[in-house]
Amino acid sequence: MQIFEELQARGLLAQLTDEDEIRELVNNGKATFYIGFDPTADSLHVGHFMALCLMKRLQMAGNRPIALVGGGTGMIGDPSGRSDMRSMMTKETIQHNCECFKKQMEKFIEFGEGKAMMVNNADWLLDLNYVDFLREIGPHFSVNNMLRAECYKQRMEKGLSFLEFNYMLMQSYDFYELYRRYGCNMQFGGDDQWSNMLGGTELIRRKLGKDAYAMTITLLLNSEGKKMGKTQKGAVWLDPNKTSPFEFYQYWRNVGDNDVLKCIKMLTFLPLDEIETMEKWEGAELNKAKEILGYELTKLVHGEEEAAKAQESARALFASGVAADMPTSTITENDLRDGKIDIIGVLVASGLVASRSEGRRAVEQGGVVVNDEKVTDFTTTYDPEFFSGEGVVVRRGKKNFRKVVF
């Protein structure tokens, strides 16, 4: 099976502008494609996983990936899939985040001469002359068509600033510059980026003629992939200092029964015939599939040794309620009240809840367990000595737990 057909079989491709041409390019290793990454944090998260795995698959088939970081577009708001304008960042912060991104991407794709490259759109956007930009790019965009785009409709209700309105032109200009500078002939993005991507394709063809090779593909479920990176307490990061390998493994180990095989198909590099066998699994066999998913993705990000350790610890946690590298939180003197700490304080200090009101609800709903004993009274208090030694395992629900020490 060639790479284009494999991407289809794995459910990764949704909309395409030129299917036959795209198939020809990627199957013959002739695609130079880009995927954009917003440098809004100093780590990628699991919402980026689909894009990273796609880049790896295509590079393995001989195609050339370009990771475009939005150092220029990061200076303004992006309305795509959002109801609020994102905050602006300094150039120094953006540069730091870009450097962190590249280190993490190197685990998926190979950078170097003739291989993958990282490009920052600040290289051309920050030096643009406004009048020249309007004269060169403005005539190729219809305001009426732009306002029909879903990303702008969402913002129109609350108010769409002119700053944000320019985003489609800037993203389209990115593709135009990448095409001119590096021969980039293909772009990938999520379904929320479709209008912006089409704008880039049309700009190239209008500026350079209909024979210009510029194509767009959206990733099926990419918007769902972004949601994958969010939990009740925030993002699941690829940086081990933000999300430990054990927590990362547990995140994937705990996906829903309806999602596990879909994730294995889209995100792992296991052979499709092996995955087809798993699709027949039911009941307890799905837990085995979840272990496979957790192991394979942890291995991709953190290496085989850390993946094996995480899997072993997760099994130990299931068997005995204790794992060697379970996430640990520390209670200090500042957390005590009159020499004691109540269960809500334990939940807040451990990071299992964001506020005391949330902690009280968790206790009242029967979702809090301390050392295998359910806590039903939110006024329950503990002496600090209770958390001495190896600590105490505190759980909120089935998937959130911490070892708490004093």
Side-chain angles (χ1 to χ4, degrees):
M1 182 182 295
Q2 291 186 286
I3 184 62
F4 183 84
E5 287 70 28
E6 181 177 350
L7 296 180
Q8 287 184 316
R10 289 183 180 273
L12 289 168
L13 305 183
Q15 302 180 75
L16 302 84
T17 55
D18 307 86
E19 182 170 336
D20 291 340
E21 290 85 350
I22 290 171
R23 178 186 287 106
E24 172 71 16
L25 285 174
V26 300
N27 281 346
N28 290 285
K30 296 180 180 179
T32 297
F33 66 96
Y34 95 88
I35 298 179
F37 297 85
D38 294 318
T40 52
D42 60 0
S43 173
L44 299 168
H45 57 70
V46 299
H48 297 112
F49 227 111
M50 191 176 293
L52 295 171
C53 292
L54 179 74
M55 296 172 83
K56 181 179 177 69
R57 294 183 203 279
L58 288 170
Q59 186 177 46
M60 290 169 63
N63 300 285
R64 188 182 190 192
I66 297 177
L68 179 70
V69 292
T73 43
M75 303 293 287
I76 69 168
D78 173 9
S80 300
R82 301 173 59 90
S83 59
D84 298 306
M85 180 176 164
R86 72 156 58 107
S87 59
M88 300 182 189
M89 299 177 292
T90 66
K91 294 180 182 179
E92 292 75 18
T93 298
I94 292 173
Q95 181 59 36
H96 171 72
N97 293 348
C98 292
E99 291 171 357
C100 294
F101 279 16
K102 187 171 183 180
K103 290 179 182 178
Q104 293 175 347
M105 289 178 181
E106 286 174 342
K107 297 179 180 179
F108 291 82
I109 55 178
E110 187 177 357
F111 290 93
E113 186 69 29
K115 300 176 182 177
M117 59 190 305
M118 176 175 278
V119 177
N120 191 333
N121 65 12
D123 293 346
W124 53 81
L125 291 180
L126 297 188
D127 293 330
L128 280 176
N129 179 287
Y130 185 62
V131 173
D132 290 344
F133 182 76
L134 288 179
R135 286 172 59 89
E136 183 181 3
I137 305 302
H140 301 292
F141 288 84
S142 162
V143 171
N144 290 343
N145 289 338
M146 292 173 69
L147 290 176
R148 294 190 189 102
E150 192 62 34
C151 58
Y152 288 128
K153 286 182 182 178
Q154 296 173 9
R155 291 288 290 126
M156 287 290 286
E157 296 180 3
K158 292 187 176 182
L160 176 68
S161 72
F162 184 71
L163 185 69
E164 296 169 279
F165 191 62
N166 275 271
Y167 193 86
M168 182 182 290
L169 275 69
M170 297 175 74
Q171 183 171 333
S172 299
Y173 191 71
D174 283 346
F175 194 19
Y176 173 68
E177 282 295 316
L178 289 170
Y179 182 92
R180 287 199 316 117
R181 295 177 182 224
Y182 308 108
C184 180
N185 50 22
M186 197 175 299
Q187 59 179 333
F188 286 77
D191 53 7
D192 60 332
Q193 294 288 324
W194 184 241
S195 296
N196 293 348
M197 295 168 66
L198 288 178
T201 297
E202 287 303 311
L203 177 61
I204 290 174
R205 293 177 178 178
R206 286 172 181 266
K207 290 283 294 179
L208 303 177
K210 294 183 178 179
D211 292 334
Y213 244 18
M215 300 154 190
T216 55
I217 299 180
T218 62
L219 303 186
L220 180 64
L221 299 174
N222 195 40
S223 57
E224 179 177 314
K226 292 178 181 178
K227 295 175 185 176
M228 287 179 184
K230 303 295 181 182
T231 66
Q232 292 179 348
K233 291 182 57 51
V236 177
W237 304 101
L238 305 195
D239 183 346
N241 295 316
K242 292 177 176 287
T243 300
S244 71
F246 177 78
E247 291 175 296
F248 188 84
Y249 174 91
Q250 280 294 96
Y251 173 80
W252 295 108
R253 172 63 180 80
N254 290 321
V255 299
D257 290 353
N258 294 330
D259 295 326
V260 57
L261 292 174
K262 178 172 61 179
C263 289
I264 288 176
K265 182 179 288 187
M266 292 192 296
L267 302 178
T268 76
F269 287 79
L270 296 175
L272 282 169
D273 55 356
E274 185 177 333
I275 297 173
E276 288 174 5
T277 301
M278 295 181 196
E279 290 177 335
K280 301 174 185 177
W281 291 357
E282 297 178 352
E285 289 180 311
L286 290 177
N287 287 327
K288 181 180 178 181
K290 293 177 184 180
E291 285 194 338
I292 292 171
L293 174 66
Y295 177 82
E296 291 295 325
L297 298 190
T298 306
K299 181 173 69 173
L300 269 175
V301 176
H302 300 295
E304 191 167 0
E305 182 179 351
E306 289 295 337
K309 286 169 56 179
Q311 186 172 70
E312 182 180 347
S313 292
R315 288 173 176 171
L317 176 65
F318 179 78
S320 64
V322 179
D325 54 355
M326 181 187 301
T328 300
S329 299
T330 303
I331 293 173
T332 69
E333 292 283 354
N334 294 332
D335 298 312
L336 304 180
R337 295 183 179 180
D338 297 326
K340 294 179 179 291
I341 185 170
D342 63 9
I343 183 59
I344 299 178
V346 173
L347 293 172
V348 173
S350 64
L352 289 171
V353 299
S355 65
R356 289 188 62 84
S357 59
E358 183 182 350
R360 177 169 176 168
R361 288 194 299 271
V363 173
E364 292 177 333
Q365 292 167 2
V368 177
V369 176
V370 176
N371 272 359
D372 294 327
E373 291 188 9
K374 182 178 290 188
V375 180
T376 57
D377 183 357
F378 63 84
T379 65
T380 301
T381 60
Y382 304 93
D383 293 319
E385 290 76 15
F386 180 71
F387 302 95
S388 61
E390 295 185 359
V392 172
V393 177
V394 181
R395 299 173 184 261
R396 181 198 171 192
K398 295 181 179 180
K399 302 179 181 180
N400 301 305
F401 49 85
R402 291 289 188 279
K403 181 189 293 184
V404 180
V405 298
F406 179 73

